[in-house]
Amino acid sequence: MIKLASRLFMGASLGVLVGHGVADAQQENDGSADKSLRIEAVTVTAQRREENLQTVPITVTAFSGAVIEQKGLDNIQSIADATPGLSMDAFPRTTPRPFIRGIGSSNQSAGADPSSVAFLDGVYLGRGPMLSVDAFDVERVEVLKGPQGTLWGKNVVGGAISFITKKPVDEFEIHARATYADYGQHDYNLVLNTPVTDKLLTRIALSSKKNDGFRTNLNTGGPLDDDERISGRFHALYKLDDATNVLFTIDGTSDDTAGPARFNIAPNGSKDLDKPNATNPDQPGYLKRDTWGTKLELNSSALGWADLTTYVSYRDLDNSTSEDFDGTTPAGNAANGVPVAGIQVLKEEQADSLSAEIRLATKFDGPFNWVGGLFALKDTVDRQRESETSVPDLSENRYIATNVTKSFGVFGEGRYELTSAWTAFAGLRFTDETKEYEIRRLVGDRANPTVNYTTYGNPGVSDEQKWTWRIGSDYQLNPNVFLFATISTGFKSGAFQEQPNAPTARLATAPETVTNYEVGMKSDFWSGRGRANISVFNEDYSDLQTIQVIDDATQGLGGSRVVTDTGNATIRGVETEFQFLPTDNIRLGLFYTYLDATFDNLLETEEILADGTPIVADLSGNRLSRTPEHALAFSASYETDDYAWGSLLFGVDANYQSKIFDDNSNNNIETRDPRTLLNAFMTYRASDRLSLQFWAHNITDEVYRVHQAATAGGHFVQYGPPRQIGVTATFDF
């Protein structure tokens, strides 16, 4: 694979270089290219300072706010669908967890962390439900691929998703959108930017999303897979002087929905249902999430030789879910061969996070510049989980846990210009992180439960001190071709299990580490009307933390438990991005990711027998779960010329993923077949202020799985949204 990838990289690089030279020569000779038409420059902050995407030695997929609105990428799942190499695990939907290049974590334990991380305006979002960012009124979204353990630090092992929101500007602005679509969808968004004085600027963004559910609860007639969310964000920017400003931010999101629809497809031979439109859960489910945060940030260029950024942030979360996992009644389970009356999964979580950072980014005229700073964080998580298997449930099997994480980091990265075109860089970060994890298990009669075991007062402790680093070099071959090579590392502290037994309740896994070797090229050609970016990488993972739900006979008939294991893995791959403007009116784009992700060694717990004996399987050589070998995103658009009546923009997007294993055992049951999601839109722009867009998502009405688990004699599946057609009106003033 490495030889193939290297040949692909070298061949593509040679092709682009030759094409660049031929195209430029042709333009010089006959002037055939319109030099005013160029693919726009994209500014990113992947290295904690503003830079052109094409000169950053990191593989980054970036979406501008305009593209996000145009394509309807209004949530984290739609962004993942449009980004090869990024996938999302959402069990439940209000608890999304990103996987980048196959690396993420489904472990929702109070004592566990993500392996790929989201940031909101630079603030670390440590719990899945905190990732509730509505992609409305955002400047851009950056997906950083590969470990970013130096400048971003904590748990950025697989990569990072960075949301950068729009900040106040010194002009009055109104931006309003309204959407109406199938399934009772009606969304409203409003942005109001107000310069109160010359020094004080404010910006408020409000959003409401609601639909009547993509599927129906046959027992109640109510919705399933519905949406009901309100969110808001307020920025206040105060200019102390021309060089220094203070930014205050507060944001929040509230969800209250009926929850997902589950289907047991075991009686159908584990084949997908034709039209999974309705199911009959006997237990009412819900997804309730309230999360908010605030931040105070100081930015100053007053030092002259460096830009100073410092902030303090507090975030809060209250998340509770109840799901009828079997999706039917006791009679339905009996008919389907499920040996229990029902499977109800209950989760409750309260969390808060306090973080602070101070950072300097130099701007010397000489060859050497650096970024450095300090970071501190304290997270507190209280979490409960219970799986019920009787209707009505009169027994208790509840795990109650508390975790406190304290993390401190000091970091720096320097760049030295060896020549005007050749730069070397190196970075180092030290992280000191401690976790204290307490848990107890309640069993017996629900009205009067007993404590099976407890570690409260004698917690499990994970105490880690780790160095992470990055070294590399980049070379500006000519004004349009940029080459880079890096070696980078990442680290995540050990995790505690969500449903351990007494002997393992205080034991954390080993810390997760990765070393990534990567070479890449970023190039523009044909006077900026073409773009080709290619990266080839090899990632060596140690103590990769895996998680799955297994049958546990110690908990009785139909009992299950969440277990955590660790193994080593190697991930090799290729990332590509191609864009092309063949005419003034046509834009083409193609993003492709190839992943060869396999375990070098993994001994994974498959089930637990009635006497407590774990059954372990050797899964060495298997593919990592939730990792497609091939992922592709294609886009094409055509925009008419401007006329007196306005203009039209037509667009189509196709997102493809190859087969996915949802279980590390690579069984042929918990799989997701290859799928292609096709979206299209037509936008009528009456003026610079008013537009009307007609759109369709999942045009072919493809049935595809988004989560599944084979347990307790059933195969329980959750499906993605069906075809949806709608219209969105936008007004700007």
Side-chain angles (χ1 to χ4, degrees):
M1 167 54 205
I2 287 294
K3 291 182 179 179
L4 175 63
S6 300
R7 290 170 182 169
L8 175 61
F9 173 74
M10 294 174 64
S13 302
L14 180 61
V16 169
L17 294 175
V18 173
H20 166 75
V22 172
D24 278 356
Q26 180 182 7
Q27 293 156 25
E28 290 172 3
N29 291 334
D30 60 22
S32 61
D34 178 5
K35 295 186 178 181
S36 66
L37 181 65
R38 300 180 61 89
I39 297 172
E40 61 277 2
V42 178
T43 299
V44 297
T45 51
Q47 297 188 120
R48 311 307 293 267
R49 64 167 84 228
E50 291 190 349
E51 297 171 295
N52 188 325
L53 172 65
Q54 292 300 98
T55 58
V56 172
I58 300 173
T59 301
V60 181
T61 299
F63 299 95
S64 68
V67 169
I68 288 169
E69 280 204 359
Q70 176 183 296
K71 296 178 179 293
L73 307 179
D74 60 354
N75 58 67
I76 185 63
Q77 184 60 60
S78 60
I79 290 172
D81 289 339
T83 309
L86 169 64
S87 59
M88 201 64 54
D89 177 28
F91 169 53
R93 184 162 47 90
T94 51
T95 309
R97 295 168 301 282
F99 284 68
I100 298 178
R101 291 180 174 175
I103 296 302
S105 177
S106 295
N107 193 347
Q108 300 176 46
S109 165
D113 299 298
S115 297
S116 292
V117 177
F119 293 85
L120 176 60
D121 287 329
V123 175
Y124 170 79
L125 303 178
R127 302 299 295 174
M130 289 182 177
L131 216 173
S132 60
V133 184
D134 277 329
F136 178 68
D137 200 42
V138 298
E139 189 71 34
R140 65 187 177 276
V141 176
E142 303 174 14
V143 181
L144 286 60
K145 299 179 178 180
Q148 311 296 324
T150 304
L151 293 179
W152 293 91
K154 180 175 167 58
N155 301 331
V156 192
V157 184
I161 306 171
S162 179
F163 293 86
I164 298 93
T165 65
K166 290 185 177 180
K167 307 305 188 296
V169 295
D170 57 4
E171 294 182 356
F172 180 77
E173 291 181 358
I174 295 177
H175 181 63
R177 285 167 61 88
T179 294
Y180 299 91
D182 293 337
Y183 302 97
Q185 188 84 42
H186 46 95
D187 304 341
Y188 305 100
N189 305 106
L190 175 66
V191 175
L192 182 63
N193 187 95
T194 306
V196 180
T197 68
D198 291 342
K199 291 183 174 293
L200 178 61
L201 315 175
T202 65
R203 189 178 188 93
I204 185 169
L206 303 173
S207 175
S208 170
K209 297 173 64 68
K210 182 176 174 60
N211 68 39
D212 296 336
F214 292 122
R215 296 173 179 93
T216 302
N217 185 331
L218 294 176
N219 277 329
T220 65
L224 294 170
D225 290 333
D226 60 326
D227 204 357
E228 185 169 354
R229 169 191 291 191
I230 58 172
S231 60
R233 183 187 312 118
F234 173 75
H235 290 304
L237 178 71
Y238 186 76
K239 300 177 181 179
L240 297 175
D241 52 44
D242 291 341
T244 305
N245 64 68
V246 176
L247 178 67
F248 170 77
T249 301
I250 186 168
D251 65 86
T253 298
S254 179
D255 296 88
D256 188 356
T257 73
R262 284 282 176 178
F263 299 86
N264 183 3
I265 62 174
N268 199 43
S270 288
K271 297 179 180 178
D272 285 319
L273 305 178
D274 184 35
K275 295 290 184 182
N277 297 326
T279 187
N280 61 333
D282 61 322
Q283 296 292 311
Y286 56 81
L287 303 177
K288 298 180 184 294
R289 172 177 60 179
D290 292 290
T291 181
W292 68 277
T294 186
K295 177 186 178 185
L296 187 64
E297 178 178 289
L298 172 73
N299 290 282
S300 179
S301 58
L303 292 173
W305 57 272
D307 290 330
L308 169 68
T309 299
T310 184
Y311 74 81
V312 60
S313 173
Y314 175 81
R315 302 205 65 84
D316 185 85
L317 170 69
D318 190 343
N319 187 58
S320 60
T321 67
S322 174
E323 181 179 350
D324 190 328
F325 200 82
D326 56 281
T328 189
T329 63
N333 279 328
N336 292 334
V338 177
V340 293
I343 305 174
Q344 191 82 1
V345 180
L346 305 173
K347 305 174 188 176
E348 296 181 4
E349 180 173 316
Q350 293 79 40
D352 61 73
S353 177
L354 180 64
S355 62
E357 183 171 284
I358 183 169
R359 186 174 69 250
L360 284 172
T362 66
K363 44 187 181 182
F364 300 128
D365 293 332
F368 180 69
N369 275 285
W370 53 267
V371 175
L374 304 172
F375 172 81
L377 173 140
K378 180 181 179 182
D379 280 349
T380 302
V381 182
D382 294 297
R383 182 175 172 85
Q384 301 184 36
R385 177 174 178 141
E386 181 173 14
S387 298
E388 303 171 350
T389 57
S390 60
V391 180
D393 184 68
L394 302 177
S395 63
E396 189 82 350
N397 182 32
R398 185 178 295 260
Y399 294 82
I400 303 171
T402 298
N403 183 80
V404 177
T405 299
K406 296 178 181 179
S407 183
F408 173 78
V410 55
F411 60 91
E413 183 166 293
R415 294 176 55 84
Y416 188 83
E417 296 177 359
L418 301 170
T419 69
S420 60
W422 184 20
T423 300
F425 53 86
L428 189 65
R429 186 183 192 106
F430 176 74
T431 300
D432 186 343
E433 181 162 302
T434 302
K435 290 180 180 176
E436 292 190 359
Y437 182 71
E438 298 174 301
I439 187 170
R440 66 176 177 270
R441 181 185 178 191
L442 302 182
V443 297
D445 182 71
R446 177 173 291 277
N448 188 27
T450 60
V451 177
N452 179 260
Y453 67 79
T454 181
T455 69
Y456 277 82
N458 186 19
V461 176
S462 170
D463 189 10
E464 304 288 347
Q465 292 79 39
K466 286 288 184 180
W467 293 94
T468 49
W469 49 269
R470 182 173 84 130
I471 59 172
S473 182
D474 56 61
Y475 187 74
Q476 192 75 51
L477 184 63
N478 60 46
N480 299 308
V481 179
F482 176 80
L483 307 175
F484 68 90
T486 65
I487 305 174
S488 56
T489 64
F491 146 76
K492 184 178 84 168
S493 62
F496 292 91
Q497 297 195 57
E498 184 169 27
Q499 294 179 302
N501 55 26
T504 61
R506 294 185 180 89
L507 302 181
T509 67
E512 186 174 294
T513 60
V514 61
T515 302
N516 177 51
Y517 307 87
E518 187 159 349
V519 294
M521 177 196 68
K522 299 183 179 185
S523 64
D524 290 336
F525 57 96
W526 199 22
S527 293
R529 293 173 62 168
R531 175 166 295 171
N533 295 344
I534 305 172
S535 301
V536 179
F537 61 89
N538 184 104
E539 299 182 343
D540 293 330
Y541 273 85
S542 298
D543 297 305
L544 174 62
Q545 298 164 16
T546 71
I547 181 175
Q548 66 172 344
V549 179
I550 64 170
D551 292 334
D552 180 5
T554 65
Q555 299 188 28
L557 190 63
S560 63
R561 177 179 295 184
V562 178
V563 295
T564 303
D565 298 291
T566 60
N568 299 331
T570 299
I571 302 175
R572 304 180 178 96
V574 180
E575 303 258 16
T576 66
E577 172 189 347
F578 300 101
Q579 294 187 56
F580 191 43
L581 306 179
T583 73
D584 292 359
N585 307 93
I586 297 174
R587 176 184 288 266
L588 303 175
L590 177 66
F591 294 73
Y592 169 74
T593 297
Y594 170 82
L595 291 176
D596 177 14
T598 57
F599 286 103
D600 300 323
N601 56 75
L602 174 64
L603 297 177
E604 187 170 84
T605 308
E606 296 287 288
E607 64 174 312
I608 298 176
L609 302 180
D611 63 0
T613 302
I615 302 301
V616 177
D618 186 350
L619 304 184
S620 303
N622 283 14
R623 283 191 63 83
L624 274 65
S625 64
R626 301 178 180 86
T627 307
E629 185 175 12
H630 304 281
L632 180 148
F634 170 78
S635 64
S637 65
Y638 174 82
E639 185 169 15
T640 68
D641 294 331
D642 290 327
Y643 297 97
W645 49 264
S647 65
L648 292 173
L649 173 64
F650 302 88
V652 62
D653 295 281
N655 304 312
Y656 169 81
Q657 285 186 348
S658 61
K659 181 179 180 179
I660 293 177
F661 293 106
D662 268 328
D663 191 278
N664 291 324
S665 66
N666 291 184
N667 64 65
N668 288 318
I669 297 175
E670 294 174 280
T671 62
R672 305 186 206 182
D673 291 335
R675 64 106 176 112
T676 300
L677 299 181
L678 188 64
N679 305 326
F681 63 87
M682 181 190 75
T683 303
Y684 167 57
R685 292 173 176 161
S687 67
D688 291 339
R689 293 185 176 183
L690 182 63
S691 67
L692 192 65
Q693 183 183 82
F694 300 90
W695 53 265
H697 295 164
N698 191 8
I699 293 175
T700 60
D701 203 20
E702 181 149 354
V703 175
Y704 62 101
R705 306 173 190 178
V706 295
H707 188 267
Q708 60 187 321
T711 186
H715 184 188
F716 307 106
V717 170
Q718 182 181 349
Y719 291 105
R723 176 172 53 232
Q724 189 179 28
I725 299 173
V727 59
T728 299
T730 303
F731 173 77
D732 290 288
F733 178 79

